[in-house]
């Protein structure tokens, strides 16, 4: 049996740092850092939702950023209509309406595209999810009213009665709380009846079916769940950046989400959080260093894949295991 | 109009075929999903653009750019891609995605952030009149488009000859259906893989060279079309060159016609204002919807390879 | 129990199975033998629903299951074991069997309570493990088991689906003498409770277990009969046993 204390310890410390560092810096006057960390937390939610498919069920979706877009446009489009008129029933500043729209639209998109792409496996699945993501991208690019490929600004954040999302500390708190809740949810899910069936599908789908499991519905459930959670992250993202564009959902964004998950380690519920943090910090420091920051970034990606199997989570577990052996 | 759009659609189809034939080959033989194809498409365009400026001849530039891109492909295969064959598809995808980032940045560093235009020689700049058809009083087509079409068809024929009638082609076909058998036959599998990767990459680069005079070379130019090439590969059936050709032409025509005529078609069934709003959105999604429909009917694509 | 008529499957021009007729009676152990490439694996695939047939019908307990997907057939009581051991390596032995128990108990769309503390599922899984003599190892990771133990676990997983008919695809494959004997004893014990359809190369095993034997050559059943009939059949000797020397 492997020792899981080390990964758990790292997870707890990361969670404390994730809240402590930006808030203390913010109150010390370095307002900017709260932005960086809010972004990291939102991306962590998106990456964690991807891990629900990738890590739990072995479904390598390469179009996951599409759901960030659905969530973001579910905020931007109603707000746009409310400001400039038109849009009929859709127009609203209400946060609950934005959330409902985001979750409903993402569930529908996930159910339809999932039902088609889950009929295939392996390389087909990867390419098809990528293509569906790109379909949404081109759809948004083609709509001039929403700014086409330039996107549009969100003039007013989603309105809730007791919560003001335009307050950066409040927004960070909401994002951070959502992340904690999601991690708890995923931890429970991983060890639930459903989670075990997903694990079985990940290891050997054919065998799972030969035990009498209709694997399709389990995969589809995971697929829809992941999409809906990611759309929620999209709602947060739109309120945080107050600017939305099709660029949010280009397939390269999906690749970045994938990178975060792999970097952190798929077998670890907490992996995507670590991955997202490293990603955002790297992006910030490298981009400050040089305009050519994609170069070290790309090389890092290649090296991660070639040398770094199982991501950070896998590494921590190995270190924990060897230390455990040494002590006994 | 229809004849011109047909030529445009076929030209797009040929470009897509050049891109997707390499993808479908590398997947069929090496079980490799390769995003860096997009980078070779871009590299081909930039190398060709620079050489055209340097030598003053577009055709000479193409001739010189082919070995250069082939060499780059060799280096990339030897250093990185060759280590990915035994890995799962996800690893391949991420590593080749990393390659795209590296390539985009290197091109940015070397050629600068803005695009690079490729001047055409005078004799290619003109237009050709092809007479009239039932729908068109006069068909006038840019000479260069015809050249692209002809060249693309020639390359496609060359590929079919290579795969269908040569010893190398026999090995490629054998590899696509049974990888283990190849090494049992005493074939240097590593060398064959390198060769196929380079061949596919050169095809992608050729597509980039051909399109450069039309759109100019720009950073990330391959990142969009690579997904369309994926759609072609999926529809055609992963691993099938014949499928890639037919699907590429089909997608090229559907996409072009959709963008050109969908608004007119929609006006027959809805108000012209609604049609003008809906047409761009639908035509943007058209090929993906098509893919979805085909996959519902045939999850393995139109020409699934025989039993592995 | 199982009635198969005119079942066929083609790959390109090759007929893997060609007009196969088969009648497995309730409670018996029916063995299918035949040389390599006779189409046994294809036939198993068709029966369990992994492969769709090109022609022919399959009736299971009087019900036409020809077009049903694999998981539905399992739910009706038609389970299989795999020739190449297919267990979930990263799970404990208990969890491996518990997946099958979960499937047997209906849906698993339960997202909150830890499944490892579901005592009713655990108890049933342990019961099945006891049946194959593996309850001692139930905490071990399946990946850490010996080859013979993995084969046993494989059978246990199939048993946990509570099958009426169990398709055994070469249960002895790759086993040593001692392991084979243990497996043989286990199958002897199962016989009678569950109808068995056995595909096996080891003739000693076949002749000591089977009540009926069908011989499959080039995708066709050339003879069906009792072990004694098959042993003495001239057709079989010529087509199959003769070839084997």
């Amino acid at each position: 049996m492997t020792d899981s204390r080390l990964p758990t310890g790292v997870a707890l410390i990361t969670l404390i740092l994730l809240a402590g560092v930006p808030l203390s810096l913010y109150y010390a006057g370095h307002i900017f850092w709260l932005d960086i960390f809010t972004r990291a937390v939102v991306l962590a939610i998106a990456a964690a939702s991807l891990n629900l498919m990738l890590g739990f069920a072995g479904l390598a979706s390469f179009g996951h950023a599409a759901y960030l877009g659905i969530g973001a446009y579910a905020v931007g489009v109603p707000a746009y209509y409310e400001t400039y008129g038109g849009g009929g029933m859709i127009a609203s500043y209400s946060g609950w309406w934005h959330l409902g729209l985001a979750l409903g639209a993402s569930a529908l998109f996930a159910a339809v595209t999932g039902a088609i792409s889950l009929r295939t496996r392996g390389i087909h699945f990867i390419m098809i999810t990528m293509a569906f993501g790109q379909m949404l991208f081109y759809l948004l690019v083609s709509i001039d009213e929403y700014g086409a490929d330039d996107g549009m600004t969100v003039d007013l954040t989603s309105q809730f009665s007791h919560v003001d999302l335009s307050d950066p500390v409040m927004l960070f708190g909401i994002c951070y709380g959502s992340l904690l809740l999601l991690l708890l949810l995923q931890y429970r899910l991983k060890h639930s009846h459903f989670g075990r069936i997903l694990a079985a599908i990940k290891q050997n789908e054919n065998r799972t079916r030969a035990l009498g499991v209709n694997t399709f519905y389990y995969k589809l459930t995971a697929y829809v769940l992941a999409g809906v959670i990611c759309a929620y992250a999209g709602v947060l993202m739109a309120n945080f950046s107050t600017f939305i564009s099709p660029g949010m959902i280009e397939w390269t964004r999906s690749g970045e989400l994938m990178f975060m998950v792999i970097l952190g380690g798929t077998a670890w519920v907490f992996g995507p959080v670590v991955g997202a943090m490293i990603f955002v910090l790297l992006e910030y420091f490298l981009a400050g260093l040089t305009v050519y920051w994609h170069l070290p970034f790309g090389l890092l990606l290649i090296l991660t894949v070639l040398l770094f199997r199982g991501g950070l989570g896998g590494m921590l577990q190995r270190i924990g295991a060897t230390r455990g052996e040494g002590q006994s | 109009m229809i004849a011109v759009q047909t030529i445009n659609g076929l030209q797009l189809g040929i470009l897509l075929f050049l891109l997707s034939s390499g993808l479908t080959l590398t997947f069929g033989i090496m079980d490799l999903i390769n995003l860096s194809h997009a980078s070779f498409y871009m590299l081909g365009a930039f190398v060709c653009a620079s050489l055209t400026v340097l030598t003053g001849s577009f055709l000479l530039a193409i001739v010189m750019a082919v070995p250069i891109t082939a060499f780059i492909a060799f280096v990339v295969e030897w250093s990185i891609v060759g280590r990915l064959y035994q890995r799962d598809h996800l690893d391949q995808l991420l590593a080749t995605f990393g390659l795209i980032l590296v390539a985009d940045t290197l091109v940015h560093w070397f050629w600068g952030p803005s695009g690079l235009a490729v001047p055409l020689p005078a004799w290619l700049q003109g237009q050709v009149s092809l007479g009239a058809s039932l729908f068109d009083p006069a068909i006038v087509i840019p000479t260069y488009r015809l050249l692209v079409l002809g060249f693309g068809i020639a390359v496609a024929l060359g590929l079919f000859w290579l795969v269908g009638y040569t010893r190398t082609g026999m090995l490629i076909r054998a590899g696509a259906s049974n990888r283990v058998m190849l090494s049992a036959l005493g074939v240097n599998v590593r060398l064959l893989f390198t060769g196929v990767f380079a061949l596919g990459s050169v095809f992608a680069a050729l597509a980039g060279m051909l399109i450069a005079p039309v759109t100019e070379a720009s950073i990330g130019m391959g990142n969009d079309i690579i997904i369309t090439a994926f759609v072609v590969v999926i529809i055609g059936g992963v691993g099938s060159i014949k499928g890639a050709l037919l699907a590429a032409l089909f997608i090229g025509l559907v996409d072009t016609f959709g963008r050109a005529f969908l608004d007119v078609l929609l006006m027959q069934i809805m108000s012209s204002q609604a049609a003008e709003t809906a047409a761009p959105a639908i035509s943007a999604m058209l090929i993906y919807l098509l893919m979805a429909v085909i996959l519902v009917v045939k999850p393995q694509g139109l020409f699934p390879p025989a039993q592995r | 129990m199982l009635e198969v008529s005119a079942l066929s499957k083609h790959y390109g021009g090759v007929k893997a199975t060609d007009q196969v007729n088969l009648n497995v009676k309730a409670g018996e152990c029916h063995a299918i033998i035949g040389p390599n490439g006779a189409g046994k694996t294809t036939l198993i695939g068709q029966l369990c629903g992994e492969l769709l047939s090109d022609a022919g019908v399959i009736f299971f307990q009087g019900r036409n299951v020809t077009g049903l997907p694999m998981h539905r057939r399992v739910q009706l009581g038609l389970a299989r074991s795999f020739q190449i051991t297919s267990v979930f390596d990263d799970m404990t032995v208990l969890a491996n069997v518990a997946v099958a128990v979960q499937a047997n108990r209906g849906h698993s769309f339960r997202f909150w309570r830890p499944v490892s503390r579901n005592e009713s599922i655990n108890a049933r899984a342990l019961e099945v493990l006891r049946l194959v003599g593996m309850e001692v190892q139930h905490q071990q990771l399946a990946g850490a088991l010996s080859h013979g133990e993995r084969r046993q676990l494989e059978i246990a997983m199939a048993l946990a689906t509570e099958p009426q008919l169990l398709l055994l695809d070469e249960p002895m494959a790759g086993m040593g003498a001692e392991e084979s004997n243990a497996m043989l004893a286990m199958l002897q014990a199962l016989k009678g409770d569950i109808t068995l359809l056995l595909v096996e190369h080891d003739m000693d095993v076949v002749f000591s277990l089977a009540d009926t034997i069908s011989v499959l050559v080039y995708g066709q059943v050339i003879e069906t009969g009792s072990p004694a009939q098959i042993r003495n059949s001239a057709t079989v000797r010529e087509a199959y046993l003769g070839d084997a020397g």
Side-chain angles (χ1 to χ4, degrees):
Chain A
M1 292 267 95
T2 46
D3 187 353
S4 65
R5 273 175 306 177
L6 187 62
T8 312
V10 170
L12 284 177
I13 293 171
T14 314
L15 276 180
I16 292 168
L17 287 178
L18 203 54
V21 171
L23 287 178
S24 41
L25 282 172
Y26 180 79
Y27 287 114
H30 304 282
I31 300 168
F32 171 71
W33 282 96
L34 193 61
D35 268 10
I36 296 273
F37 275 79
T38 309
R39 195 171 126 76
V41 170
V42 174
L43 285 177
I45 296 175
S49 75
L50 175 60
N51 195 32
L52 185 61
M53 265 193 281
L54 186 65
F56 289 24
L59 297 170
S61 163
F62 217 86
H64 205 57
Y67 297 94
L68 272 179
I70 293 177
Y73 275 78
V75 174
V77 169
Y80 164 83
Y81 282 130
E82 188 69 23
T83 312
Y84 299 101
M89 272 180 58
I90 296 178
S92 171
Y93 290 134
S94 158
W96 294 113
W97 173 240
H98 295 172
L99 268 180
L101 200 61
L103 304 191
S106 59
L108 186 70
F109 186 71
V112 173
T113 60
I116 295 169
S117 43
L118 286 171
R119 287 161 57 90
T120 64
R121 292 187 197 182
I123 192 157
H124 284 88
F125 182 77
I126 293 176
M127 292 203 238
I128 290 160
T129 49
M130 220 169 181
F132 278 129
Q134 241 5 50
M135 175 178 91
L136 205 63
F137 170 76
Y138 284 119
L139 176 67
L140 292 177
V141 166
S142 76
I143 304 178
D144 289 332
E145 198 176 3
Y146 307 149
D149 46 1
D150 291 331
M152 59 184 180
T153 49
V154 180
D155 297 323
L156 193 65
T157 53
S158 302
Q159 298 297 301
F160 293 93
S161 46
H162 297 291
V163 180
D164 179 12
L165 292 183
S166 60
D167 171 10
V169 176
M170 182 74 95
L171 180 64
F172 177 78
I174 298 276
C175 295
Y176 187 75
S178 304
L179 177 64
L180 287 186
L181 195 68
L182 175 63
L183 289 175
L184 173 68
L185 215 92
Q186 291 205 338
Y187 182 81
R188 296 297 299 221
L189 191 128
K190 189 178 167 116
H191 297 96
S192 70
H193 293 66
F194 180 71
R196 185 189 265 162
I197 298 288
L198 287 189
I201 292 173
K202 181 184 181 182
Q203 287 188 48
N204 190 339
E205 182 175 356
N206 199 37
R207 182 52 167 144
T208 312
R209 290 196 319 158
L211 294 176
V213 178
N214 189 351
T215 55
F216 177 79
Y217 288 108
Y218 290 89
K219 291 193 294 181
L220 188 61
T221 306
Y223 190 92
V224 172
L225 217 54
V228 168
I229 294 169
C230 192
Y232 176 75
V235 170
L236 295 177
M237 187 63 104
N239 277 295
F240 160 67
S241 64
T242 63
F243 171 73
I244 56 176
S245 77
M248 300 174 72
I249 69 168
E250 252 194 302
W251 68 265
T252 47
R253 294 284 99 74
S254 298
E256 288 169 5
L257 282 181
M258 192 71 101
F259 176 47
M260 294 172 210
V261 177
I262 302 284
L263 183 64
T266 51
W268 193 23
V269 171
F270 196 72
V273 182
V274 179
M277 253 185 97
I278 295 178
F279 178 88
V280 171
L281 291 178
L282 262 180
E283 188 184 57
Y284 172 68
F285 285 117
L286 289 178
L289 228 57
T290 161
V291 281
Y292 304 115
W293 68 276
H294 267 124
L295 183 64
F297 197 79
L299 289 174
L300 190 80
L301 217 171
I302 296 169
L303 288 178
T304 308
V305 172
L306 288 183
L307 310 174
F308 216 46
R309 285 186 176 192
L312 283 169
M315 200 180 73
L316 288 175
Q317 201 141 59
R318 282 195 294 276
I319 296 173
T322 42
R323 279 210 335 215
E325 277 166 21
Q327 281 158 10
S328 59
Chain B
M1 248 322 243
I2 288 182
V4 175
Q5 294 299 351
T6 307
I7 298 279
N8 287 347
L10 288 177
Q11 182 202 298
L12 177 61
I14 284 291
L15 286 175
L16 284 173
F17 171 68
L18 287 178
L19 265 171
S20 50
S21 60
L23 278 177
T24 213
L25 270 181
T26 45
F27 179 73
I29 297 160
M30 287 101 95
D31 201 15
L32 173 78
I33 176 165
N34 177 24
L35 288 172
S36 70
H37 239 68
S39 299
F40 283 97
Y41 179 74
M42 172 182 68
L43 268 177
F46 271 98
V47 171
C48 176
S50 278
L51 287 173
T52 308
V53 174
L54 211 67
T55 62
S57 160
F58 176 59
L59 293 186
L60 189 60
I62 288 188
V63 173
M64 287 167 67
V66 166
I68 292 176
T69 45
F71 175 73
I72 297 173
F74 267 112
V75 174
V76 169
E77 204 271 353
W78 175 78
S79 59
I80 294 166
V81 173
R83 295 164 208 272
L84 293 171
Y85 297 141
Q86 303 302 323
R87 309 293 290 271
D88 65 29
H89 293 140
L90 196 57
D91 285 350
Q92 299 170 351
L93 206 61
L94 279 175
T96 51
F97 174 47
L99 273 174
I100 284 191
L101 294 179
V102 170
D104 281 359
T105 323
L106 286 178
V107 166
H108 181 189
W109 179 65
F110 198 76
W111 275 284
S114 56
L116 213 55
V118 178
L120 281 176
W123 61 275
L124 280 176
Q125 280 173 1
Q127 294 186 321
V128 184
S129 182
L130 292 179
S133 78
L134 193 59
F135 302 101
D136 311 87
I139 303 171
V140 180
I141 289 162
T143 317
Y144 183 67
R145 302 223 152 190
L146 283 183
L147 180 91
V148 168
L149 206 56
F151 186 79
I153 291 169
V155 172
L157 286 177
L159 184 65
F160 276 103
W161 172 78
L162 176 77
V163 173
Y165 298 98
T166 64
R167 184 179 144 74
T168 315
M170 188 203 80
L171 293 178
I172 289 176
R173 275 178 291 134
S177 54
N178 191 343
R179 263 167 240 127
V180 184
M181 199 181 82
L182 270 188
S183 41
L185 284 173
V187 176
N188 185 340
V189 175
R190 192 73 184 76
L191 191 68
L192 183 73
F193 281 13
T194 310
V196 171
F197 181 83
L199 184 73
S201 301
V202 165
F203 270 39
L206 269 175
M209 294 175 210
L210 290 178
I211 201 69
V214 182
T215 64
E216 83 178 26
S218 64
I219 292 171
M221 64 189 277
N223 299 2
D224 286 338
I225 201 167
I226 188 83
I227 308 293
T228 316
F230 272 168
V231 173
V232 168
V233 171
I234 295 168
I235 291 181
V238 176
S240 162
I241 297 179
K242 185 176 76 177
L245 177 65
L246 293 177
L249 295 177
F250 185 49
I251 289 290
L253 287 171
V254 166
D255 194 51
T256 310
F257 276 91
R259 283 172 207 284
F261 300 119
L262 196 64
D263 50 349
V264 183
L265 272 179
L266 286 179
M267 275 179 210
Q268 310 297 319
I269 54 169
M270 53 173 83
S271 76
S272 61
Q273 201 198 345
E276 267 168 38
T277 325
I282 296 177
S283 58
M285 298 196 295
L286 201 55
I287 61 169
Y288 302 100
L289 297 175
L290 199 73
M291 175 191 80
V293 170
I294 288 175
L295 285 175
V296 168
V297 185
K298 299 196 77 172
Q300 299 292 310
L302 295 178
F303 299 92
Q307 292 287 312
R308 285 184 182 283
Chain C
M1 171 76 59
L2 184 75
E3 278 174 73
V4 176
S5 46
L7 202 64
S8 303
K9 177 83 190 171
H10 303 218
Y11 291 114
V14 185
K15 292 172 178 169
T17 53
D18 185 12
Q19 305 274 323
V20 170
N21 296 310
L22 207 60
N23 187 359
V24 182
K25 291 187 271 304
E28 74 168 348
C29 175
H30 193 127
I32 295 173
I33 60 173
N36 281 329
K40 293 175 303 220
T41 302
T42 305
L43 180 60
I44 287 263
Q46 285 173 282
L47 293 180
C48 75
E50 198 175 7
L51 299 170
L52 282 183
S53 305
D54 297 327
V57 285
I58 308 168
F59 274 86
F60 178 62
Q61 295 187 311
R63 182 174 172 164
N64 187 345
V65 298
T66 317
L68 288 187
M70 178 153 67
H71 64 91
R72 283 289 299 138
R73 298 187 199 193
V74 179
Q75 287 161 8
L76 291 173
L78 203 167
R80 71 169 294 188
S81 75
F82 285 79
Q83 181 181 348
I84 297 163
T85 314
S86 305
V87 298
F88 307 119
D89 282 344
D90 296 346
M91 291 188 194
T92 63
V93 168
L94 186 76
N96 265 277
V97 179
V99 172
V101 177
Q102 273 179 257
N104 191 243
R105 296 269 169 98
H107 72 81
S108 289
F109 289 102
R110 299 165 67 183
F111 303 93
W112 190 253
R113 281 195 51 216
V115 64
S116 59
R117 296 211 205 111
N118 186 327
E119 292 311 329
S120 147
I121 287 178
N122 290 347
R124 172 66 188 142
L126 269 177
E127 196 182 315
V128 177
L129 282 173
R130 202 166 297 132
L131 222 59
V132 300
M134 283 193 78
E135 76 268 36
V136 192
Q137 294 107 312
H138 76 271
Q139 295 275 28
Q140 275 186 37
L141 278 184
L145 297 176
S146 73
H147 178 72
E149 289 172 324
R150 286 158 61 86
R151 301 293 304 169
Q152 269 173 292
L153 177 57
E154 169 82 41
I155 307 271
M157 291 162 77
L159 286 178
T161 67
E162 302 185 3
Q164 317 277 318
L165 172 68
L166 183 56
L167 306 176
L168 294 162
D169 193 357
E170 300 200 17
M172 307 294 176
M175 280 190 165
E178 204 172 310
E179 290 174 335
S180 292
N181 283 336
M183 178 66 82
L184 186 60
M186 196 177 97
L187 295 180
Q188 294 277 18
L190 283 179
K191 206 179 133 181
D193 295 339
I194 300 172
T195 312
L196 299 175
L197 184 65
L198 173 75
V199 169
E200 181 55 59
H201 273 301
D202 187 332
M203 285 306 142
D204 294 337
V205 173
V206 169
F207 280 102
S208 61
L209 265 178
D211 304 305
T212 314
I213 298 177
S214 291
V215 184
L216 196 66
V217 178
Y218 294 124
Q220 288 182 312
V221 175
I222 57 162
E223 189 92 37
T224 296
S226 69
Q229 285 171 319
I230 295 296
R231 207 188 291 271
N232 300 321
S233 157
T235 336
V236 175
R237 197 175 292 272
E238 186 187 335
Y240 176 52
L241 295 177
D243 285 330

